[in-house]
Amino acid sequence: MKIFFALIAMFFSLSLSRAEMPEPIPLWPGGAPGALGTNDWDIPTVTPYLPDLTNATGAAMVICPGGGYEHLAPHEGRDYALWLNQHGVTCFVLKYRLGSKGYRHPIMLEDAARAVRWVRAHADDYKIDPHRIGIMGSSAGGHLASTLLTHFDAGDANSADAVERQSSRPDLGILCYAVISLGEFAHQGSKAYLLGNNPSPELVRNLSNELQVTPQTPPCFLWTTFEDNTVPMENTMLFAAALRKNHVPFDLHIYEKGGHGMGLNDKPPFAHPHPWAGDCLFWLKEQNFVN
């Protein structure tokens, strides 16, 4: 089995080396609002990963890598995109601005909202359905995804910017061992990088996303593990309970095995694939995102 996954990883690597590597696209060509400079980390981007045209379903996914709002984990961005490409989903990996570079809320939310708007505005260019655009996030990236899932807006119909006229509401969400709450079960590092060291109680409540779910929150796939000692599974459980209370459809999986940050679980020392990926594909098929 290890040999099998090594071959898959080699295939991904060779495929990218033979083709032109995807280029990141700035979300604001004239410079992002609130930018603290002009370094690479001051420029939020999306990097498109495109499926084979013969396999494309017309669905899209904006992917928010984790990293505690301190860095961005490639295996929770590019690797997810390559996996979903195999199943016909057009993916856009978001490089959002980070607390470790001096940014605080709402900058990260603005980057995620802009990414969804940007993809929707360019739906024709990528031959995707503007009503089948999801958002996916892991760990702190899951917090960012859940923030947009509960803090979206319809866009500014009067804006001169065609992107800003689009809705930022994702059509569904995938939350992988996500940071959700900033209260009792918070991941303290993510909280500090997002809000600073002394956030107001009102701000903490507003960004504790289990408290912000409404009946308009999109359907979600949620998973975590009992063995996660970094982000307690209660984060996922609280969000699921809020979805249930508001009659929002969801698929919830709490697995016993698997630590934090494992992603697709297809590299050593893991001896076999984790079932979450198959369960997620089953759910995405029910949502008309994959065939």
Side-chain angles (χ1 to χ4, degrees):
M1 187 64 75
K2 290 182 180 179
I3 294 174
F4 172 73
F5 281 113
L7 289 172
I8 289 178
M10 185 185 304
F11 171 78
F12 283 158
S13 177
L14 289 173
S15 296
L16 284 177
S17 63
R18 289 171 183 167
E20 184 179 352
M21 291 292 287
E23 289 290 332
I25 301 169
L27 287 172
W28 284 275
L36 301 177
T38 57
N39 293 298
D40 181 67
W41 56 78
D42 297 308
I43 304 171
T45 64
V46 286
T47 301
Y49 288 81
L50 310 182
D52 189 292
L53 287 176
T54 62
N55 190 41
T57 66
M61 192 73 66
V62 173
I63 302 174
C64 307
Y69 287 117
E70 187 270 337
H71 67 280
L72 299 176
H75 75 289
E76 294 168 348
R78 177 199 60 228
D79 288 9
Y80 286 167
L82 293 174
W83 166 60
L84 287 172
N85 281 172
Q86 287 184 300
H87 301 281
V89 181
T90 302
C91 295
F92 300 85
V93 176
L94 172 64
K95 183 186 75 179
Y96 53 93
R97 288 170 284 180
L98 297 167
S100 58
K101 301 300 183 182
Y103 292 100
R104 297 291 183 264
H105 174 78
I107 291 295
M108 297 79 157
L109 175 57
E110 291 173 357
D111 291 351
R114 178 74 177 189
V116 171
R117 297 190 215 276
W118 189 94
V119 172
R120 193 160 272 138
H122 291 85
D124 287 347
D125 299 335
Y126 291 95
K127 296 180 173 57
I128 58 178
D129 182 349
H131 303 295
R132 284 190 294 152
I133 299 172
I135 193 165
M136 178 179 190
S138 302
S139 192
H143 183 268
L144 181 56
S146 71
T147 303
L148 187 58
L149 287 163
T150 53
H151 295 74
F152 56 82
D153 64 60
D156 181 359
N158 298 315
S159 177
D161 182 347
V163 174
E164 290 300 311
R165 293 197 291 269
Q166 300 293 325
S167 168
S168 65
R169 181 184 186 272
D171 295 295
L172 58 74
I174 299 173
L175 304 179
C176 311
Y177 41 86
V179 177
I180 299 289
S181 181
L182 300 184
E184 178 183 358
F185 300 105
H187 179 252
Q188 295 299 326
S190 297
K191 179 180 178 179
Y193 274 127
L194 178 67
L195 302 182
N197 292 324
N198 295 294
S200 69
E202 293 77 17
L203 187 57
V204 170
R205 179 178 179 82
N206 187 46
L207 273 296
S208 292
N209 294 322
E210 79 279 11
L211 303 178
Q212 307 305 325
V213 172
T214 72
Q216 286 70 49
T217 300
C220 292
F221 180 91
L222 317 166
W223 73 274
T224 187
T225 68
F226 178 81
E227 291 184 340
D228 191 335
N229 294 319
T230 301
V231 176
M233 66 182 189
E234 282 82 359
N235 282 264
T236 296
M237 295 168 67
L238 287 168
F239 199 73
L243 293 170
R244 174 64 174 166
K245 182 178 180 180
N246 285 276
H247 308 287
V248 176
F250 66 93
D251 210 359
L252 169 65
H253 298 264
I254 302 175
Y255 305 100
E256 178 186 358
K257 297 296 182 179
H260 187 76
M262 65 185 179
L264 288 167
N265 195 18
D266 61 352
K267 297 177 178 65
F270 301 109
H272 53 80
H274 198 279
W276 82 264
D279 291 335
C280 186
L281 287 174
F282 178 85
W283 182 78
L284 284 171
K285 184 174 182 178
E286 295 297 306
Q287 307 301 315
N288 194 32
F289 264 56
V290 303
N291 293 327

